[in-house]
Amino acid sequence: MKAIILSAGEGSRMRPLTLTKPKTMLPVAGKPIIQYNIESLRDNGITDILLIVRYKEEMVRDYFGDGSDFGVNITYKTQKDFLGTANAISYGEDFIEDSLIVLNGDIILDNEIINEIIKKYNYLVPDTLMVLTEVEDPSAFGVVEIEDGNIKKIVEKPKKEEAPSNLVNTGIYI
């Protein structure tokens, strides 16, 4: 399994913190947010990682380099336009060989979470697995409508009263 981490966004809702660095490089407990995911992937045996970058991408490239200091192999692709998650993942077309885990770079996942997600995927063997979570107010998220156990549609940031459910996309896919 390989991994793609989406790290191109500017993080405009996190200003002024993101005026000088991408949101994935904001430090939490002494290291950038994205580093937690890279280390957790590595600790679960996933060492080939593609980072999709754009905003202040030189900071990400300079910090992680080829990944060897972190025990992984990192390659980079620069996203030209912000056309959604599927577009960002499409930059990995030549990188993808078999199964793939995709993570938003601005979330923090530990080893156990990634391990559980991979185990669930291997147990269920779906074409695609999207990790969801339940929230009280889904209006700030991509809200998922499910029909017969399958995703029917995703509504981006609907008004609370118009949300098809309270299940939201966590930004984790296999």
Side-chain angles (χ1 to χ4, degrees), residues 71-92:
V72 296
N73 306 308
I74 295 177
T75 54
Y76 301 87
K77 290 278 180 100
T78 302
Q79 187 175 5
K80 292 176 181 40
D81 298 305
F82 293 122
L83 300 174
T85 301
N87 173 261
I89 295 169
S90 76
Y91 282 82

Side-chain angles (χ1 to χ4, degrees), residues 137-139 143-145 155 157-167:
D137 180 3
S139 62
V143 183
V144 178
E145 182 176 340
V155 181
K157 299 175 183 69
K159 292 179 182 172
K160 184 176 181 179
E161 62 276 4
E162 295 174 6
S165 75
N166 61 345
L167 295 173

Side-chain angles (χ1 to χ4, degrees), residues 33-83:
I33 292 171
I34 195 172
Q35 186 174 336
Y36 289 93
N37 295 338
I38 290 170
E39 292 171 347
S40 293
L41 289 167
R42 177 203 61 212
D43 293 348
N44 278 282
I46 301 170
T47 56
D48 291 322
I49 300 170
L50 173 63
L51 296 183
I52 307 298
V53 293
R54 180 175 172 181
Y55 178 70
K56 299 195 180 289
E57 68 181 84
E58 65 283 349
M59 292 185 79
V60 178
R61 290 176 184 264
D62 290 346
Y63 187 87
F64 291 106
D66 66 2
S68 58
D69 289 345
F70 300 89
V72 296
N73 306 308
I74 295 177
T75 54
Y76 301 87
K77 290 278 180 100
T78 302
Q79 187 175 5
K80 292 176 181 40
D81 298 305
F82 293 122
L83 300 174

Side-chain angles (χ1 to χ4, degrees), residues 144-164:
V144 178
E145 182 176 340
I146 296 178
E147 187 175 283
D148 299 325
N150 294 307
I151 295 171
K152 183 176 177 183
K153 68 180 176 180
I154 301 172
V155 181
E156 284 298 324
K157 299 175 183 69
K159 292 179 182 172
K160 184 176 181 179
E161 62 276 4
E162 295 174 6

